[in-house]
Amino acid sequence: TEQAFADTTDVILSSKRADGNVHLVLRDGIDAQEILARAVRAGRVTRFEIVEPSIDEVFVKAVSLP
């Protein structure tokens, strides 16, 4: 199914869907171009953007570490 690629936990740490968009957090070392290729194979891609994490996301990750 469309967007099923976003459920592959081998490369994706988390995914959020809202308003027809999918926001993915990739595992360390994963090539974003591979994710784009999977998305294209799964369906139509109208926009693809690589975004650095916000300062809030960096903070939450930092305080969540053991």
Side-chain angles (χ1 to χ4, degrees):
T1 65
E2 251 182 62
Q3 296 181 352
F5 74 94
D7 297 326
T8 55
T9 58
D10 61 325
V11 294
I12 296 172
L13 192 60
S14 69
S15 65
K16 297 177 189 172
R17 294 178 174 91
D19 301 323
N21 297 313
V22 179
H23 178 252
L24 304 174
V25 177
L26 306 183
R27 294 192 179 279
D28 290 337
I30 300 301
D31 182 8
Q33 294 300 313
E34 174 58 29
I35 301 304
L36 175 58
R38 289 183 186 199
V40 168
R41 286 191 298 270
R44 186 167 186 248
V45 175
T46 57
R47 181 177 177 185
F48 182 82
E49 182 178 2
I50 299 172
V51 179
E52 294 296 321
S54 70
I55 191 71
D56 291 340
E57 292 168 325
V58 171
F59 177 77
V60 168
K61 184 175 181 180
V63 298
S64 298
L65 294 175

